[in-house]
Amino acid sequence: ILTKGILLPDSDIDIFIYGNNKDTTIRRIIGAIINIYGEDVSIGVSGSVIHMTKNNMRPIQIISSSGMYADDILYNFDFTHICVGID
């Protein structure tokens, strides 16, 4: 699911986390990605962003937000670098 669809070939996947239980949600997402792609997924942390990479997998960034609701992310998001390809 994470590698198919309308994404451009070089695009990454950003997953924004908001609300209360952020740590639990992040652990569940990391666990799900490792279950899909295997234990050899590389994981790095830079501030509030967790980077996950592996050959044959789109780079995934899990971004912890201070917002409590999805709207908080959308209202403060920088849309200048958004690019969507539709076939």
Side-chain angles (χ1 to χ4, degrees):
I1 291 174
L2 296 176
T3 59
K4 297 180 180 177
I6 62 171
L7 297 173
L8 294 176
D10 295 329
S11 62
D12 64 349
I13 297 170
D14 295 335
I15 301 172
F16 291 85
I17 308 301
Y18 60 89
N20 289 325
N21 308 314
K22 290 182 186 108
D23 291 339
T24 302
T25 302
I26 290 170
R27 281 191 217 102
R28 288 178 57 209
I29 291 170
I30 291 172
I33 292 168
I34 288 172
N35 283 338
I36 293 168
Y37 292 103
E39 294 285 333
D40 57 339
V41 172
S42 297
I43 300 174
V45 178
S46 177
S48 62
V49 179
I50 299 169
H51 306 274
M52 301 183 76
T53 59
K54 180 181 175 175
N55 288 340
N56 301 318
M57 179 184 101
R58 290 184 186 275
I60 298 172
Q61 296 184 34
I62 303 170
I63 304 160
S64 183
S65 162
S66 61
M68 289 300 294
Y69 306 99
D71 290 351
D72 296 330
I73 295 168
L74 295 173
Y75 291 138
N76 295 304
F77 192 78
D78 177 8
F79 288 98
T80 59
H81 296 95
I82 297 293
C83 184
V84 176
I86 299 175
D87 188 3

